[in-house]
Amino acid sequence: MLVQPYARAVAGDPLKFAYDPATRTYTLTFRIRDNAAGPTQITVPRDTYPGGYRVDIQGSKASWGDHGQSVTVSTHGGAGAT
């Protein structure tokens, strides 16, 4: 069974996304779009991170839901990458 984090929705144009199973590191880089209808949502499976996880974000704000199995990244539109 393949269990890994992934972006369910991206509030912009994805530039790079990858998951490294050896380090259990998920990376998502995207260009923010002014007309995005909602936030970026990332699924974080508990099976992948049973001891928890760390989120590093540049230029945005994150919140957690679904008992820690999802991360919502709120952006403010405009140029740049997150």
Side-chain angles (χ1 to χ4, degrees):
M1 174 169 50
L2 178 64
V3 179
Q4 66 183 49
Y6 65 93
R8 285 189 305 207
V10 178
D13 301 313
L15 302 175
K16 177 183 173 186
F17 58 94
Y19 176 68
D20 180 350
T23 62
R24 294 187 299 167
T25 301
Y26 177 74
T27 304
L28 170 66
T29 304
F30 63 96
R31 185 171 319 284
I32 299 167
R33 194 178 318 138
D34 285 333
N35 63 351
T40 295
Q41 297 178 330
I42 301 168
T43 296
V44 186
R46 186 173 325 193
D47 292 342
T48 304
Y49 302 102
Y53 57 89
R54 186 182 81 214
V55 176
D56 295 321
I57 298 176
Q58 297 177 6
S60 298
K61 197 162 76 170
S63 60
W64 287 258
D66 195 22
H67 303 285
Q69 292 195 81
S70 67
V71 176
T72 299
V73 179
S74 300
T75 57
H76 301 291
T82 298

